[in-house]
């Protein structure tokens, strides 16, 4: 545009212009969608809320994914338990596997938080990140960037697999990880979506990745010979154990299976890709943690039978070994001989480590019902068990046993429900998440953080029978100290006294409550009076 033309344009429109940018055509959203095949209306930010994110994901063609999530990880009675970002669960699993690279696709703030938390919990691997902007998300360039990243990363000398995870915004926008190559240079590419609006807890996100890997490995095994386990195949039929446990628990389970002519197989989530094949090559599957729905679906597709619960306490050990024997066709006399050998030792261990007191149990790891069973068999009164995980058929035997003992079992428990249970039952000890423990201690009730202090102990068989007693009894015995501290400090640090002050805090003046005045006709606007 010449200076004369610009002056004429200014005179005609009344707008002062300085360059020719105004003459450039602006692409409408519909045009971008048609050209790039991307629904730009789905490009919502993570601040939009779960409902809007779900709408955006459905508009972006993710309805099937959301429907599967709803089946595998049912919600209720509320929208979502208050746990950490669910993607932490799948990220943690990938970072602990040998020869496995992990790449995240999501908002930078989310990636920062997940990376920080992973390294805080001991991860020593690099977390890959493919950044994006509104432009790359809308135009489909983000998918191209992810594809380029996995091509650069796919080094068979270093990796067996690369896990690419969509967080909330890419999932809601329909970034199609399913279109990534299944294999590059012999390196497997596993793409998963772990949105906070579809996967309720980080525990269930472990299942998202485990299920995806089992599905991939099952396809490989069905296609032909696969790599043997690092230690070779077991000479005995194996029982695959599903759920993260204390490292000694699989060893203990293996010792209990030995008299049945069985062996403990791999633990899912596995620590190496080749273990997935061994996990599928089993006589039966033990759902130690009952929420691995996608993983169980893969085992059932492979023709494997599954049993719930775990060998915890006297009753739990007896019923679990009977179920395993039945699934694997072990002669009943052989099972009875094993029970006669194992159960007296469990009973003795429980008797030597009694627990006295009322305890409420809550958490988000998935083993809360098992811990409650152990505490009850140790002599504790457990009126309430809350778990952030959903009710599944694999936890039904545990639920029935607990209910028969008078326990209230709450699946998908909210923080408010767990705290309300503490207030209702006034326990001698509250086992739960950090805010539950904080609430209990603020009320002079001892508390133990479930994840770090309870999950970090053996739970199975003889080894588990007395493992909780020491820490639980020590915590209960500390109640007098809490009462002394509460009596000494009183209400300091609570309410208006919370915080740091140069002077003694003063209670703010109460706002005078004025009586409500019923409006008269003269107070109403004329429009309301029909004028």
């Amino acid at each position: 545009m010449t200076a004369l033309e610009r002056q004429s344009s200014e005179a005609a429109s009344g707008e002062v212009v300085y360059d020719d940018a105004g003459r450039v055509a602006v692409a409408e959203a519909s045009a971008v969608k048609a050209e790039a095949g991307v629904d730009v209306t789905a490009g919502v930010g993570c601040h939009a809320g779960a409902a809007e994110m779900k709408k955006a994901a459905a508009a972006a063609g993710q309805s099937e994914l959301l429907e599967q999530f709803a089946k595998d990880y049912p919600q209720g009675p509320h929208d979502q338990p208050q746990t950490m970002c669910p993607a932490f669960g799948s990220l943690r699993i990938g970072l602990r596997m040998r020869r496995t690279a992990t790449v995240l696709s999501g908002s930078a703030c989310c990636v920062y938080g997940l990376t920080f938390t992973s390294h805080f919990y001991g991860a020593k691997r690099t977390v890959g990140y493919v950044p994006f902007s509104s432009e790359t998300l809308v135009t489909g360039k983000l998918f191209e960037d992810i594809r380029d990243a996995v091509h650069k990363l796919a080094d068979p000398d270093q990796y067996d697999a690369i896990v690419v995870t969509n967080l909330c915004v890419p999932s809601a926008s329909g970034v199609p990880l399913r279109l990534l190559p299944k294999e590059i240079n012999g390196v497997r590419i596993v793409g998963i979506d772990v949105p906070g609006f579809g996967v309720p807890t980080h525990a269930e996100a472990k299942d998202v990745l485990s299920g995806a890997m089992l599905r991939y490995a099952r396809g490989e095994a069905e296609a032909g010979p696969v790599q043997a386990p690092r230690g070779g195949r077991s000479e005995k039929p194996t029982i695959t154990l599903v759920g993260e446990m204390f490292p000694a628990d699989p060893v203990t389970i293996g010792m209990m299976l030995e008299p049945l002519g069985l062996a403990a197989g791999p633990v899912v989530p596995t620590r190496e890709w080749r273990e997935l094949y061994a996990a599928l090559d089993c006589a039966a599957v033990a759902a130690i943690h009952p929420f691995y729905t996608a993983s169980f679906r893969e085992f059932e597709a492979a023709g494997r039978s599954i049993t719930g619960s775990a060998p915890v306490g006297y009753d739990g050990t007896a019923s679990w070994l009977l179920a395993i024997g039945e699934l694997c066709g072990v002669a009943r006399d052989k099972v009875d001989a094993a029970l006669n050998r194992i159960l007296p030792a469990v009973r003795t261990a429980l008797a030597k480590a009694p627990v006295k007191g009322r305890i409420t149990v809550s958490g988000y790891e998935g083993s809360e019902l098992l811990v409650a069973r152990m505490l009850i068999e140790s002599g504790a009164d457990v009126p309430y068990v809350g778990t952030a995980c959903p009710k599944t058929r694999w936890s039904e035997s545990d639920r029935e046993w607990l209910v028969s003992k008078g326990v209230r079992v709450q699946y998908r428990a909210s923080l408010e429900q767990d705290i309300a249970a503490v207030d209702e039952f006034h326990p001698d000890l509250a086992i739960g998440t950090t805010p539950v423990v904080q609430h209990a201690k603020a009320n002079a009730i001892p508390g133990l953080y479930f994840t770090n202090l309870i999950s970090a102990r053996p739970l199975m068989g003889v080894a588990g029978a007395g493992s909780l007693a020491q820490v639980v009894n020590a915590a209960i015995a500390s109640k007098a100290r809490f009462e002394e501290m509460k009596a000494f400090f009183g209400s300091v640090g609570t309410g208006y006294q919370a915080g740091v002050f140069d002077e003694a805090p003063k209670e703010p003046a109460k706002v005078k409550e004025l009586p409500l005045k019923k409006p008269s006709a003269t107070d109403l606007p004329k429009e309301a009076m029909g004028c």
Side-chain angles (χ1 to χ4, degrees):
M1 180 185 291
T2 65
L4 183 60
E5 289 174 328
R6 186 176 294 118
Q7 290 175 0
S8 299
S9 175
E10 291 175 9
S13 64
E15 178 185 7
V16 177
V17 296
Y18 299 95
D19 54 33
D20 300 337
R23 302 183 66 187
V24 177
V26 178
E28 298 295 334
S30 58
V32 175
K33 176 181 176 181
E35 181 179 349
V38 177
D39 187 352
V40 296
T41 61
V44 295
C46 40
H47 60 276
E52 290 301 316
M53 298 286 272
K54 285 183 178 180
K55 289 180 183 178
Q62 297 280 58
S63 296
E64 185 177 347
L65 175 71
L66 294 176
E67 290 171 2
Q68 191 63 60
F69 280 154
K71 292 177 182 177
D72 289 348
Y73 317 117
Q75 296 182 350
H78 48 83
D79 291 339
Q80 190 170 28
Q82 296 97 316
T83 73
M84 66 182 72
C85 170
F88 171 68
S90 57
L91 177 63
R92 188 178 182 188
I93 294 306
L95 289 174
R96 289 190 303 187
M97 289 186 68
R98 292 190 184 99
R99 293 177 53 81
T100 300
T102 299
V103 178
L104 295 178
S105 169
S107 299
C109 54
C110 300
V111 173
Y112 169 78
L114 287 167
T115 304
F116 174 85
T117 307
S118 297
H119 290 300
F120 179 81
Y121 276 88
K124 298 179 181 179
R125 310 269 185 83
T126 298
V127 179
Y129 172 45
V130 181
F132 68 89
S133 64
S134 297
E135 180 182 357
T136 60
L137 185 66
V138 166
T139 62
K141 181 66 165 55
L142 173 57
F143 174 75
E144 296 175 3
D145 291 342
I146 294 173
R147 184 183 58 199
D148 292 344
V150 295
H151 271 279
K152 292 178 181 178
L153 199 57
D155 181 356
D157 291 334
Q158 297 188 56
Y159 303 118
D160 292 328
I162 298 173
V163 177
V164 185
T165 303
N166 267 346
L167 304 181
C168 286
V169 173
S171 286
S173 301
V175 175
L177 296 182
R178 63 186 178 279
L179 299 182
L180 289 173
K182 299 301 180 185
E183 183 180 305
I184 301 173
N185 300 328
V187 178
R188 304 162 186 86
I189 310 300
V190 181
I192 58 173
D193 287 85
V194 190
F197 57 83
V199 182
T201 68
H202 81 284
E204 289 157 296
K206 298 174 185 177
D207 177 49
V208 174
L209 179 55
S210 297
M213 287 185 162
L214 283 167
R215 182 169 62 252
Y216 197 124
R218 182 168 63 84
E220 290 181 311
E222 291 173 350
V226 293
Q227 197 172 19
R230 188 176 294 269
R233 293 186 65 184
S234 172
E235 296 180 358
K236 300 178 180 179
T238 59
I239 306 299
T240 293
L241 310 175
V242 179
E244 292 187 290
M245 292 168 278
F246 185 74
D249 280 337
V251 178
T252 300
I253 292 175
M255 294 172 63
M256 288 189 283
L257 291 172
E258 187 178 1
L260 305 181
L262 304 172
V267 176
V268 176
T270 63
R271 297 302 181 95
E272 190 173 12
W273 187 273
R274 64 171 73 181
E275 290 180 359
L276 293 165
Y277 309 130
L280 291 163
D281 182 27
C282 64
V285 177
I288 304 296
H289 287 186
F291 56 84
Y292 281 79
T293 307
S295 299
F296 297 145
R297 184 165 55 246
E298 296 305 319
F299 283 115
E300 288 180 328
R304 303 298 182 253
S305 299
I306 305 170
T307 187
S309 193
V312 170
Y314 186 93
D315 289 353
T317 300
S319 59
W320 188 82
L321 287 174
L322 284 169
I324 290 294
E326 184 176 349
L327 285 181
C328 298
V330 180
R332 181 57 190 264
D333 59 343
K334 199 170 186 179
V335 176
D336 289 341
L339 292 175
N340 291 334
R341 171 182 168 185
I342 296 169
L343 292 181
V346 173
R347 189 189 295 277
T348 300
L350 288 169
K352 287 183 177 179
V355 175
K356 301 298 180 183
R358 173 173 289 186
I359 304 172
T360 57
V361 178
S362 57
Y364 47 54
E365 299 297 335
S367 57
E368 291 76 26
L369 275 63
L370 298 178
V371 169
R373 290 191 65 157
M374 174 62 72
L375 290 172
I376 290 172
E377 289 211 30
S378 298
D381 171 22
V382 181
Y384 172 85
V385 179
T387 175
C389 294
K391 181 180 180 180
T392 73
R393 55 183 167 139
W394 310 117
S395 66
E396 187 60 18
S397 60
D398 294 323
R399 187 197 66 81
E400 290 177 348
W401 189 92
L402 290 169
V403 170
S404 72
K405 304 295 182 181
V407 182
R408 183 196 305 169
V409 179
Q410 179 63 61
Y411 292 97
R412 284 282 187 246
S414 67
L415 171 61
E416 290 77 14
Q417 287 172 316
D418 292 340
I419 288 178
V422 174
D423 293 338
E424 177 183 353
F425 295 110
H426 303 289
D428 299 303
L429 173 67
I431 296 174
T433 57
T434 303
V436 173
V437 170
Q438 181 183 20
H439 176 79
K441 290 182 176 180
N443 289 277
I445 298 173
L448 291 174
Y449 179 34
F450 188 100
T451 299
N452 285 5
L453 297 173
I454 302 300
S455 290
R457 282 174 167 73
L459 197 60
M460 312 297 166
V462 177
S467 67
L468 298 180
Q470 183 176 4
V471 65
V472 167
N473 288 332
I476 292 175
S478 68
K479 183 174 178 58
R481 291 166 47 209
F482 282 98
E483 291 175 341
E484 288 178 12
M485 287 189 288
K486 186 174 183 180
F488 178 80
F489 288 104
S491 60
V492 173
T494 62
Y496 71 90
Q497 300 178 94
V500 179
F501 301 90
D502 295 329
E503 301 177 354
K506 298 178 181 179
E507 185 175 4
K510 293 184 178 179
V511 178
K512 184 179 180 181
E513 295 183 2
L514 299 175
L516 293 176
K517 177 185 176 184
K518 185 177 181 180
S520 63
T522 56
D523 295 326
L524 296 173
K526 292 183 178 181
E527 292 79 6
M529 299 172 66
C531 299

